[in-house]
Amino acid sequence: MVLPGPATPRPSVVPKAPAWVRERRAVRVFLTDERTRTTARLVVRHGSYVVRGGGILAKRGWDGRSTARYERMMRTAEAAGQHEQALEWEVRAAAFRAARHQRRMDLLTSPIRVAKNAAVGVGATAGGLLGLGVVLAIAEKDITDVVTPIMTVIELIRWSVVFVSIVWGPLVAVAPWAALLAMWSVGRRRQAAPAWTLPTTQSSTVGEPITPSIVVKALRDLGIAPLRNAIKDMGDAGAGMLGPIRIAGCGVEVDVTLPSGVSTNEVQGRRRKLAENLARHEHEVFVTIPTAARTVRLWIADSGALDEPIGPSPLVTDQDMTADLYTGRAPWGQDLRGDAALLSVHQRHLLITGLSNQGKTAALRALALWLAFDTSVEFRVADLKGVGDWRMFNGLATVLVQGPSDDHVIEATHMLEEGVREMERRLVLLEQSGSTDGVTRDMARTDPRFHPLLLLVDEAQMAFMCPAVGDDKRPYGGTKATSRYFMAARKLHNQGRAVNVTLWQGTQDPTNENLPKLVREGAHIRASLALGSEEQARMALGDKAIDGGAAPHKLRQGADRGTVVVAGDGVKLAPGQAATTIRTHYITGEQAAEIAERAKARRAGVTTLTAVAPAEGGPDPLADIAAALGDAVRLRTQEVLQRLAAANPGEYREWNFGDLKAVLEGAGAAPYKSDGQMVVARAKVLSALADRDADAPDDDGE
């Protein structure tokens, strides 16, 4: 017996959607289909070409028949503050109106002149043809040839009428389409269509040559309303804001005179957007401020040009390289224009900063290697990184400290303090010589006591961060006036250059903790590689350079390794510029060693020490202030300074109220006002001394 299986379920019947639902779905599918969108963009784009192209042609025609163009030029010149140019355009407009009035007056008498000229022309032509007929009749001996020329002309006129009657119809039919084609062509050339309708193949592409129209559009679309409105009012004269576009190295340079109401800071603050509007990366556009008022200077690199390496250093290629500290300039690299970037380091303190692994040591070392070819220069080098970046100066430098420990920082501090003592000895000699201009070039070359002395500290942030304390209870590191390294650097900055003693420092991550303000502002040349923030950039180069367009924080970490932004003295700057960007030559360690060997061959044997004997009985500012106070309960700050200078002129002669205040505030004994005068309290100073002695570690380090 076969049992019946389960019954097969009948398929459920899906009810048919109403017609209006099906129509709505069909419309939605049609509208959202990519082919529909493409067709719509095509129709809108080409329709806009025709409509806006017609508007452009109409505007051109109106400009040719009216003074609209002259008025627009006058508004542009007035907005840019160019009043002489505005007056010139006003004179041109008046001349145009006078000529137009004369043409209209001539139209009143033109019918009579035309009729007269026509009658004379017809008579002359008929007479000429009749004379020609007479000549033909005589030649052919046939009287009927007299009218042959006239009949020939009449026949030509008849055939011309026949030809025109044949082609007139097609011309009338084609003329509107030809006009539409002309308007479409003009609109297409001007890309006169909404941006969303333009195909990607017609938009600006990377590497497109920079033209005035591209620059004007980029400025118009920056999002600055007064600038956009001013350009809109200028119309086709928007390029009137631009100076000539000049080839400048691997890019172009152009000055832009901004209209009234637009500040240079607004354009600088939109550097990224400006670069994107120009189809460039942010690092390929530099915005600086020249001397002219309300003007920005744009340097726009060729796409990808800044990623290409520059050539080798002349130190590598020129085996006969020489150097002269007094008259020469170090070949450091190339500026953005592609010109050689040369740096004068004579009597100039130098500071170079940047993030780690950006080429700081290589850039600093390249300058020192060039200077090594001047045999009169003495080097004392402290490499607080200690990985051998400066080992080639063994045999070139009289002192070479290499290592990152506190002991190495102590040796570097002793090196600077010995430099201070050398500076003070030279100051005494200079005073005895009666010179009022410091050490001159001739004096330095004839008197070996004033030879150039360069103190160089790489990774100087290690010195400021060092916690070690000396036997005199003064810390080696730190950023207060009690810091031995800090005070030695300050003294060198204050007086060193006058006697040919200079200080070069390289440091990472410029902050107030790693690089005190008084130290960084004492450098004549301040250079910075890539940094992480604008705040760091301001600490590295100063507010003036950053406000003038310098932007080391815009450099790409890694990709722009070796590129430095330089501010201050010693480097050639364009008028009005506060900083310049240099792509430094990279010298490898092997090449640096070979260059150093060539420099050593030109010198007598140099014995290199790895340590400097510390000075005995070094100054202790806080203790000296206490001694200067004597038994007085309080003493005016000016009198304290005078007593300090009298007791130790070499140490305190150049001190001012700021120096005194820094020491006392750092010790917790700040000056205060009493009876309207700033005074120092003896009790506070003695208490600060007692606290310092109590907090100082014992000799065994406990």
Side-chain angles (χ1 to χ4, degrees):
M1 179 178 180
V2 180
L3 297 176
T8 303
R10 297 180 62 187
S12 58
V13 178
V14 179
K16 192 173 183 180
W20 66 272
V21 174
R22 297 196 305 273
E23 291 174 357
R24 186 180 64 181
R25 290 174 180 171
V27 170
R28 184 171 65 249
V29 170
F30 173 77
L31 293 178
T32 58
D33 188 84
E34 184 60 31
R35 289 172 293 181
T36 303
R37 294 180 178 181
T38 302
T39 303
R41 284 196 295 267
L42 185 69
V43 171
V44 174
R45 180 169 71 248
H46 291 282
S48 299
Y49 286 164
V50 173
V51 174
R52 295 187 180 181
I56 293 171
L57 290 175
K59 185 176 181 181
R60 289 177 181 175
W62 176 251
D63 285 345
R65 302 291 298 175
S66 68
T67 59
R69 175 177 298 171
Y70 301 95
E71 293 174 357
R72 191 165 56 248
M73 291 293 187
M74 283 188 285
R75 288 197 301 269
T76 300
E78 289 175 353
Q82 299 172 350
H83 301 293
E84 293 183 359
Q85 191 173 0
L87 291 175
E88 181 181 350
W89 283 110
E90 186 176 3
V91 171
R92 293 185 181 183
F96 174 83
R97 285 191 291 267
R100 183 181 60 186
H101 175 73
Q102 184 62 43
R103 289 194 300 271
R104 290 174 178 175
M105 295 302 296
D106 290 343
L107 289 176
L108 297 176
T109 58
S110 60
I112 299 175
R113 292 199 305 272
V114 169
K116 289 182 178 179
N117 292 336
V120 172
V122 169
T125 302
L129 292 175
L130 185 61
L132 179 60
V134 171
V135 172
L136 288 175
I138 295 174
E140 297 293 334
K141 298 180 180 179
D142 186 354
I143 192 61
T144 59
D145 285 339
V146 173
V147 296
T148 298
I150 296 177
M151 296 304 298
T152 301
V153 172
I154 293 173
E155 189 68 15
L156 287 175
I157 293 173
R158 184 180 74 83
W159 279 108
S160 298
V161 172
V162 172
F163 177 77
V164 170
S165 64
I166 294 174
V167 301
W168 181 255
L171 284 176
V172 172
V174 171
W177 299 103
L180 290 175
L181 181 62
M183 292 186 292
W184 175 86
S185 178
V186 172
R188 182 176 180 275
R189 284 199 304 271
R190 295 287 296 273
Q191 293 290 284
W196 61 271
T197 66
L198 296 175
T200 56
T201 55
Q202 293 183 2
S203 61
S204 295
T205 57
V206 175
E208 184 177 359
I210 299 299
T211 62
S213 62
I214 289 177
V215 177
V216 170
K217 289 179 181 177
L219 294 169
R220 181 194 64 194
D221 298 335
L222 272 184
I224 304 174
L227 180 60
R228 180 179 62 252
N229 295 335
I231 293 176
K232 183 178 179 181
D233 292 340
M234 295 176 193
D236 292 340
M241 297 189 306
L242 309 182
I245 296 180
R246 305 176 294 272
I247 300 296
C250 56
V252 296
E253 187 177 74
V254 58
D255 286 352
V256 181
T257 302
L258 301 175
S260 178
V262 183
S263 70
T264 56
N265 290 337
E266 291 179 287
V267 177
Q268 278 187 303
R270 289 171 169 79
R271 176 182 168 189
R272 177 186 290 274
K273 190 170 185 179
L274 177 62
E276 292 173 350
N277 291 347
L278 292 167
R280 295 294 190 272
H281 296 293
E282 184 178 12
H283 70 275
E284 294 176 330
V285 175
F286 289 81
V287 184
T288 54
I289 311 298
T291 53
R294 220 172 57 243
T295 302
V296 293
R297 177 167 296 162
L298 307 182
W299 185 85
I300 307 161
D302 298 335
S303 182
L306 295 182
D307 296 326
E308 298 294 328
I310 64 174
S313 169
L315 292 171
V316 176
T317 58
D318 187 358
Q319 298 295 315
D320 298 323
M321 171 66 69
T322 60
D324 189 327
L325 171 65
Y326 303 98
T327 61
R329 290 177 175 265
W332 209 12
Q334 292 181 1
D335 61 16
L336 295 178
R337 301 176 64 91
D339 299 329
L342 305 176
L343 195 67
S344 173
V345 295
H346 177 227
Q347 293 187 346
R348 291 180 174 93
H349 303 300
L350 183 145
L351 172 67
I352 182 169
T353 64
L355 297 177
S356 177
N357 196 32
Q358 296 304 301
K360 169 178 54 62
T361 296
L364 186 61
R365 188 176 62 189
L367 294 176
L369 285 171
W370 173 80
L371 196 56
F373 286 96
D374 186 335
T375 57
S376 67
V377 178
E378 178 188 353
F379 292 92
R380 299 180 187 178
V381 179
D383 174 17
L384 299 183
K385 184 188 297 182
V387 295
D389 288 337
W390 295 87
R391 67 166 63 96
M392 69 287 302
F393 274 76
N394 188 11
L396 274 177
T398 55
V399 177
L400 179 59
V401 178
Q402 299 183 87
S405 68
D406 290 348
D407 290 337
H408 293 100
V409 171
I410 292 173
E411 295 299 338
T413 304
H414 292 163
M415 183 185 80
L416 259 62
E417 289 178 337
E418 175 57 31
V420 171
R421 290 190 291 275
E422 172 64 21
M423 174 191 74
E424 292 171 347
R425 286 192 291 269
R426 295 185 180 194
L427 287 170
V428 173
L429 293 173
L430 186 64
E431 187 175 353
Q432 294 174 351
S433 69
S435 174
T436 59
D437 298 326
V439 175
T440 63
R441 180 177 62 183
D442 294 337
M443 183 186 301
R445 286 179 169 174
T446 57
D447 191 340
R449 296 176 300 177
F450 293 107
H451 70 276
L453 173 59
L454 172 60
L455 304 168
L456 191 153
V457 181
D458 195 10
E459 305 298 340
Q461 77 278 356
M462 300 292 293
F464 293 109
M465 298 167 62
C466 178
V469 177
D471 295 336
D472 58 357
K473 311 303 181 182
R474 294 175 59 200
Y476 284 94
T479 60
K480 296 182 179 179
T482 54
S483 166
R484 293 176 62 172
Y485 183 91
F486 172 77
M487 290 305 296
R490 281 217 56 204
K491 291 173 184 176
L492 291 168
H493 280 167
N494 289 341
Q495 296 176 283
R497 66 181 301 271
V499 288
N500 256 4
V501 180
T502 52
L503 174 62
W504 293 5
Q505 296 181 94
T507 182
Q508 295 180 16
D509 188 19
T511 63
N512 286 326
E513 292 73 23
N514 293 344
L515 189 61
K517 179 180 180 181
L518 293 177
V519 171
R520 61 180 183 253
E521 291 186 349
H524 303 100
I525 301 173
R526 298 167 70 173
S528 176
L529 295 103
L531 290 173
S533 67
E534 182 178 335
E535 182 182 4
Q536 289 179 321
R538 290 186 180 276
M539 291 184 178
L541 299 181
D543 292 337
K544 180 180 179 181
I546 302 304
D547 293 338
H553 54 291
K554 297 292 187 180
L555 296 175
R556 300 166 296 166
Q557 186 174 356
D560 289 325
R561 184 180 290 111
T563 298
V564 296
V565 182
V566 186
D569 197 9
V571 64
K572 182 179 179 181
L573 298 174
Q577 299 295 95
T580 187
T581 301
I582 297 175
R583 303 173 68 197
T584 61
H585 296 295
Y586 176 63
I587 300 175
T588 66
E590 293 78 6
Q591 292 171 339
E594 189 275 330
I595 294 169
E597 289 301 321
R598 285 194 276 122
K600 293 175 188 177
R602 303 188 181 192
R603 293 172 176 253
V606 176
T607 301
T608 300
L609 303 177
T610 59
V612 178
E616 297 182 359
D620 184 348
L622 192 59
D624 291 343
I625 292 172
L629 288 169
D631 296 331
V633 177
R634 67 179 65 88
L635 204 62
R636 291 188 300 111
T637 54
Q638 190 62 36
E639 191 171 349
V640 173
L641 289 171
Q642 292 173 357
R643 292 187 180 186
L644 286 172
N648 190 347
E651 184 69 24
Y652 301 114
R653 177 173 46 193
E654 298 296 327
W655 266 41
N656 53 34
F657 174 73
D659 297 315
L660 179 64
K661 181 182 177 183
V663 171
L664 293 174
E665 283 186 343
Y672 63 96
K673 186 169 287 189
S674 175
D675 296 331
Q677 294 182 330
M678 296 299 295
V679 298
V680 179
R682 178 173 176 269
K684 288 186 176 182
V685 175
L686 294 179
S687 176
L689 276 172
D691 292 342
R692 188 186 71 178
D693 294 341
D695 294 339
D698 297 333
D699 293 341
D700 58 3
E702 296 180 357

